[in-house]
């Protein structure tokens, strides 16, 4: 299976310090999702599948550590070692599910943070 092949590649090529070299961006958002990107050590890019996104089990097995609800949604083709993640606004980081109250608060915060300067009086 694809997962076991990826896991085998990681186990065969991943020195123990690679997971410590994974870099995480700050979170950023739009009106529906929060986003972050994760930069893997370039040595790991050889283990990445070329034409599909990673499942949560796969990216966690590679050493990526983040709360629940994040989905690998796009590949940055020029730099495949940069993984792009998103999750809906209001996702509970413990359960990975959208919480209606957290969603409302996140959307209100996004709107108040993005009011044009002329309207902030």
């Amino acid at each position: 299976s694809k997962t076991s092949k990826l896991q085998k590649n990681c186990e065969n090529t991943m020195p123990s310090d690679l997971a410590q070299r994974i870099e995480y961006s700050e979170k950023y958002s739009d009106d529906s999702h929060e986003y972050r990107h994760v930069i893997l050590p370039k040595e790991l890019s050889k283990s990445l599948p070329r034409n599909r996104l990673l499942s949560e089990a796969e990216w966690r097995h590679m050493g990526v550590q983040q709360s629940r609800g994040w989905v690998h949604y796009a590949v940055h083709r020029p730099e495949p070692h940069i993984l792009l993640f998103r999750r809906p606004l209001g996702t509970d980081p413990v359960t990975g599910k959208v919480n209606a109250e957290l969603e409302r608060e996140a959307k209100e915060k996004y709107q108040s943070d993005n009011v044009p300067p002329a309207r902030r009086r």
Side-chain angles (χ1 to χ4, degrees):
S1 82
K2 292 177 184 174
T3 301
S4 62
K5 182 180 177 187
L6 177 64
Q7 288 174 348
K8 185 179 277 188
N9 286 344
C10 289
E11 288 165 3
N12 291 340
T13 62
M14 187 188 311
S16 59
D17 72 324
L18 284 183
Q20 296 172 355
R21 293 178 28 222
I22 294 172
E23 296 179 36
Y24 300 86
S25 74
E26 294 295 321
K27 292 183 272 186
Y28 44 100
S29 62
D30 62 17
D31 61 344
S32 62
H33 287 85
E34 60 182 338
Y35 302 87
R36 79 169 347 155
H37 56 274
V38 174
I39 303 171
L40 300 174
K42 288 188 180 183
E43 300 94 313
L44 283 180
S45 65
K46 297 175 188 108
S47 302
L48 295 172
R50 294 285 178 232
N51 297 310
R52 67 178 180 82
L53 301 172
L54 298 176
S55 69
E56 181 174 353
E58 289 173 320
W59 55 258
R60 286 195 186 279
H61 185 78
M62 296 186 84
V64 175
Q65 297 179 5
Q66 51 189 355
S67 55
R68 294 183 174 211
W70 292 102
V71 175
H72 181 214
Y73 78 97
V75 174
H76 183 54
R77 295 242 181 257
E79 298 179 294
H81 65 288
I82 299 177
L83 306 180
L84 305 174
F85 290 93
R86 73 177 176 193
R87 66 181 175 188
L89 286 178
T91 299
D92 182 318
V94 174
T95 65
K97 307 284 186 220
V98 174
N99 174 300
E101 181 66 19
L102 292 175
E103 180 182 25
R104 183 186 61 74
E105 290 171 6
K107 287 184 177 185
E108 285 175 2
K109 180 177 181 344
Y110 175 80
Q111 289 174 344
S112 68
D113 289 349
N114 291 287
V115 174
R119 296 187 179 173
R120 286 191 186 150
R121 299 174 193 182

